């Protein structure tokens, strides 16, 4: 389930909020910077034409403390909401997978029953036609058996396509499609 695209997007969004909150909190901390530089002057009048310089700077914003904390707190709240939404999505996906799996099992059983019904319908049709040839049954009985025979095939194909649909739905639910 971890490969599901919705979950990956929500996880990335929560991580982004975490990073933004840490960046907002870093304003309250001491900021230190170091800059190094090398300069070469092509001046023949100077005895030393290469110069190294370094600069160290530090800053600490005391007046931004409350605003940065409120911004970081808001970002942490958004992170929490995103994680809650992710957990709800996990639950919805698990429910969808379970529901589809149960439907697949049910439709697979219906397909087996329909397959057995086809065998019986074929036998009934054969017997009905044989009885009609022997003039023991009338054509209305044969038409009724033919109608039941066609209904059995319709039920079989409906169950067959329901199983196929559930298989694709299950693959979609787990994020494979």
């Amino acid at each position: 389930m971890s490969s599901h695209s919705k979950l990956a997007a929500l996880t990335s969004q929560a991580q982004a909020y975490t990073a933004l909150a840490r960046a907002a909190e870093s304003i309250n901390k001491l900021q230190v910077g170091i800059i190094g530089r090398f300069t070469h002057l092509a001046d023949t009048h100077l005895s030393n034409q290469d110069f190294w310089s370094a600069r160290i700077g530090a800053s600490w914003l005391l007046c931004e403390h409350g605003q940065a904390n409120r911004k970081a707190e808001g970002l942490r709240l958004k992170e929490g909401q995103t994680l809650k939404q992710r957990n709800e999505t996990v639950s919805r996906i698990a429910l969808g997978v379970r529901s589809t799996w149960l439907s697949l099992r049910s439709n697979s059983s219906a397909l087996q029953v329909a397959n057995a019904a086809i065998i019986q319908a074929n036998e009934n049709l054969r017997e009905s036609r044989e009885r009609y040839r022997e003039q023991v049954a009338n054509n209305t009985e044969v038409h009724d058996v033919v109608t039941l025979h066609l209904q059995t095939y319709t039920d079989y194909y409906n169950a067959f396509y329901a199983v196929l649909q559930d298989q694709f739905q299950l693959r979609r639910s787990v994020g494979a499609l």
Side-chain angles (χ1 to χ4, degrees), residues 104 107-109 111 158-168:
L104 178 62
N107 287 331
S108 294
S109 297
L111 182 63
N158 285 340
F160 178 77
Y161 289 121
V163 166
L164 286 179
Q165 185 177 8
D166 284 343
Q167 287 173 344
F168 281 111

Side-chain angles (χ1 to χ4, degrees), residues 29-53:
K29 298 177 182 172
L30 179 65
Q31 307 289 318
V32 178
I34 300 174
I35 299 172
R37 186 164 136 189
F38 173 76
T39 307
H40 174 76
L41 299 175
D43 190 355
T44 57
H45 300 296
L46 297 174
S47 62
N48 190 2
Q49 296 178 355
D50 297 332
F51 295 98
W52 284 95
S53 64

Side-chain angles (χ1 to χ4, degrees), residues 55-80:
R55 198 179 295 171
I56 298 175
S59 67
W60 191 7
L61 298 174
L62 296 174
C63 61
E64 296 291 326
H65 185 69
Q67 183 179 2
N69 281 344
R70 284 189 297 279
K71 183 177 180 181
E73 185 179 325
L75 290 168
R76 296 266 184 221
L77 181 63
K78 286 183 180 181
E79 173 195 6

Side-chain angles (χ1 to χ4, degrees), residues 129-148:
R129 285 181 177 166
E130 184 66 32
R131 289 178 61 207
Y132 181 74
R133 275 190 223 113
E134 294 175 3
Q135 297 180 351
V136 177
N138 60 19
N139 64 349
T140 306
E141 292 175 12
V142 175
H143 285 291
D144 290 343
V145 170
V146 168
T147 302
L148 290 174

